[in-house]
Amino acid sequence: MSLLVVGLSHRSAPVSVLERASLAADTQAKLLQDTLAAEPATEAAVLATCNRIELYADVDKFHAGVAELSTLLAQHSGVGLDELTPYLYVHYEDRAVHHLFSVACGLDSMVVGEGQILGQIKDALARGQELHTAGRLLNDLFQQALRVGKRAHSETGIDRAGQSLVSFGLQQLAAGADPGLWAQGKRALVIGAGSMSSLAAATLARTGVAEIVVANRTRSRADRLVEILQQGDDTTVRAHAVEMSAVGDELTRADVVVSCTGATGLVLTADALADALGVTLDTPAEPETVTAAPAPADVDQHGAWVENGSATSAPAAAPRRVTLPAQSTGPVKLALLDLAMPRDIDGAAHRIDGVRLVDIESLADASADAPMAADVDQVRTIVADEVAAFGAAQRAAHVAPTVVALRTMAADVVAGEIARLDGRLPDLDEKQRAEITQTVRRVVDKLLHAPTVRVKQLASEPGGAGYADALRELFDLDPQTVAAVSRADLNDPNRGRS
C-alpha cells in the first residue's frame, strides 16, 4: 500500500486561501484525470468541501508523489505553488488512513462531530468510481471510512460534541438566544438547492421558521426541494420556489438568508443588500480584530494533539490576528448565513446597518473555542483500532493473489501428473483413477495448508508486505499469473459491497 494524501483545510490555511483554492466540479474531474496521467499515481480521489481540499492517490514513489500532487493542486486551484505550499499537509500510508478515518468521524471538522462529511466522502468516492480513477485501494479506503464514520456516530456520543455547520451557523445568528425562539415567525430565503442548501432548508423548517423561499439557478431543483420540505412530517412550514431573478425582491421581505451555491462570484453584493433594506453602506468604523486560522507551524501541533492528546484541551498556539470590517450594531433586520466556498455574500455586508453576517470565516473563529466532548476519546480509540484493522486487511489482501496463484500452479501440477498416470496405466477403472486423484490432491493440500495460512498471518502484520515477494521467489511463480488473479478479483462485481 502506498497511499498518499496532500491537502489543505481550515486547520492549516486561512479561509481566504481556501476560498481561492476551491475546486468546481469540472475542475475536480480534470484534476483526477491529470493525476492519473502523472507518473507516480495509479489511483486518485478528491475530497473537496467548503473547508478542505484533499487529493488522495496510490503512488509508487513518495517524494515524487508529493511533488506531483502539490503541483497539480496548485495548477488546478489557481493558487501559486509557492503561496500554497506553506498551507499543505502530507500524510502517507497508515497516517493517511488515520487522517481520512478521523475526517469521516468528524474529528477534523470545523464543528467537531458533524455528520455531513460522510455524504461528502460518499460523493468523492462516487466521483472517483464514475471517472474510473478509484481502484482497489481507494475503493476499499473510502468505503471503510464511511463504515468507520457511521460506527463512530452509532457507538459514541460524538453527535453531542458537535453539529452541522448549518445548525452552528444559526446559533451564531441567534447570538446567544435559543435558535428555536429566535426563528419563530421568521421568513427565510434559501439561495441554492444543493446538498448544503437542502440541509439548511430542512434545518430552518425544523427550527420553526414560518416560511421558506427557495431560489436556484435551475428552477426544477428548487421546486423539488420545496416539495420535499412540504412532505416533512415534523414541520408545517410554508414553502415555495422562485427564479434567481426574483432574489432582489425576496430580500425586501426576508428575515433570514442562507446562501450556498456553486457560483464563482458574489451572489449578493453589499449594494444589493443595502438597496433591499433601503439604507446606504455605513462608513467603515474602527476595524475589529479576530483570531484567524492557525499558522502552518501550529497545525503540526494540532495534528499531534488530535492523535495523542487530551479530549478536553488543545495545546495553546500563538494565534495570528487579522482585521475584518466592524460588525454593525443595533437591531438586526436581516440575518445572513453564507456557507459557500468561495463566498456568496459580500463581506462588506458587515457594514450595513441592521445586517448580521455569519460566514465560513466567522464560523471557524467561533468553533475554535467550542468545548470537546468526552466522547471524542472513544472515537479516537475506534479510529486507531480501525486503522490497524484496515492495514492488516490490506497487507493480507496483497499476499492473497500470490497464494491463489500458488494453489493454481499446484492444481495444474496435479492435473498434469494424473494425465501422465492415465497414459502409463490405461487399464485403471474410474473408481481407481478417482481415488488416486483425490489422494494426490489431499497430499498437495496438506503440504500447502500450513505455509499458506501462516504467510497470510505474517503478511497481515506490520512489515509483512515482503512475504508475497518471498512466496513468488520460493515457488518460481509467474508474476503475470499473480497479476491476472489481482485483476480478476478487482473486476468482481460483488467485491466491496456491504
Side-chain angles (χ1 to χ4, degrees), residues 47-92:
L47 179 58
T49 73
C50 59
N51 53 34
R52 76 177 61 250
I53 303 164
E54 296 177 343
L55 179 56
Y56 291 77
D58 185 4
V59 299
D60 55 9
K61 299 175 183 176
F62 172 73
H63 293 290
V66 172
E68 190 66 39
L69 266 59
S70 300
T71 300
L72 286 167
L73 276 175
Q75 288 176 348
H76 289 79
S77 69
V79 179
L81 183 59
D82 290 343
E83 183 181 359
L84 192 64
T85 297
Y87 303 110
L88 294 177
Y89 47 77
V90 174
H91 299 297
Y92 190 56

Side-chain angles (χ1 to χ4, degrees), residues 4 6 8 76 91 94 108 122-123 142 195 204 256 283 394 400-401 410 440 449-450 498:
L4 175 66
V6 177
L8 67 161
H76 289 79
H91 299 297
D94 283 352
D108 200 56
K122 185 177 180 181
D123 291 343
F142 276 70
S195 58
L204 285 165
V256 185
T283 301
Q394 289 295 307
V440 174
H449 177 72
S498 57

Side-chain angles (χ1 to χ4, degrees), residues 308-325:
N308 304 311
S310 165
T312 58
S313 62
R320 293 181 296 120
R321 312 294 285 183
V322 298
T323 299
L324 292 177

